[in-house]
């Protein structure tokens, strides 16, 4: 029992939620350690959406809205943490939502698709094929879904697939609290923010941006700048805490 007045209530409840999702088979056990790494980086950015993250979120919205075939890729952590937020983003952006897993079993795909559907997501399912140039199971996707995407949002990604998607000339939007990760470096744009803060901000921007603002954001996209700013904001915070 976690008392609501505990200073880390939200964080502890999130852990409980993920532990339950792991017991239910939605979350891979490895997803718990991935979350722990994310928590550590969230401390470093001050558990808030930084200025550079907000710019990245608005640019991500502009990319999704300008896309011919936008896709949101969902894994176990994303489904366990943010299924209703993904439903709202799908509504605001018009993107396809497809499940893609690193620790893939047919049973996990089914459980995650069911969880998303219950949250109001229109899931793009059907027969998956081994289409991406990867030796692990993230290679499995749908020909008319992820494989055909021009813009793809990949929350909590592993670097391999991110690199492969960029090589396939797709615009890859990563959400990753670690600005030093291979994913963060390989993506076309990286949002260094916590998933449950980032997804609603992208959805909000999708509802707000006019065409002129979209074009301006896309034309100024610079991932090196965004990552450098994220690292600078962490450095400033560390300096303030140590001072
Ligand atoms: O469900 P599956 O089988 O597809 O597996 C999903 C995981 C997350 C286990 C898999 O993709 C994986 O191993 O990912 P990595 O390589 O550990 O990368 C996850 C990244 O996401 C790390 O850099 C974390 O810092 C970051 N991260 C973790 N939690 C969050 C996060 N970023 C944003 N928000 C979070 N809540």
């Amino acid at each position: 029992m976690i008392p609501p007045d505990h200073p880390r209530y939200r964080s502890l409840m999130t852990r409980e939620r993920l532990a339950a999702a792991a017991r239910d088979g939605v979350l891979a056990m490895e997803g718990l350690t991935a979350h722990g790494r994310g928590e550590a980086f969230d401390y470093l950015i001050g558990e808030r959406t930084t200025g550079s993250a907000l710019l990245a979120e608005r640019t991500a919205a502009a990319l999704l809205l300008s896309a011919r075939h936008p896709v949101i890729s969902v894994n176990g952590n994303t489904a366990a943490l943010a299924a209703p937020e993904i439903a709202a983003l799908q509504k605001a952006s018009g993107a396809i939502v497809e499940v893609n897993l690193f620790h893939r079993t047919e049973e996990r795909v089914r459980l995650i698709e069911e969880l998303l559907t219950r949250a109001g997501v229109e899931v793009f399912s059907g027969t998956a094929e081994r289409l991406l140039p990867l030796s692990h199971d993230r290679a499995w996707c749908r020909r008319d879904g992820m494989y055909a995407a021009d813009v793809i949002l990949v929350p909590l990604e592993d670097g391999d697939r991110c690199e492969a998607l960029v090589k396939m000339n797709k615009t890859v939007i990563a959400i990753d609290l670690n600005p030093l990760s291979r994913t963060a470096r390989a993506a076309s744009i990286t949002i260094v923010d916590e998933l449950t803060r980032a997804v609603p901000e992208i959805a909000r921007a999708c509802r707000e941006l006019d065409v002129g603002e979209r074009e301006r954001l896309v034309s100024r996209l610079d991932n090196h700048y965004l990552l450098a700013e994220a690292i600078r904001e962490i450095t400033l915070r560390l300096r303030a805490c140590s001072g």
Side-chain angles (χ1 to χ4, degrees), residues 34 75-76 101-103 108 138 156 176-177 193-195:
N75 62 12
L101 302 179
F102 186 73
H103 307 281
R108 274 192 76 220
R138 273 207 189 268
L156 278 75
D176 192 336
L177 278 159
D193 199 2
E194 204 281 321
L195 176 80

Side-chain angles (χ1 to χ4, degrees), residues 78-90:
T78 305
L81 287 174
E85 290 84 351
I86 292 290
L89 178 58
Q90 178 177 48

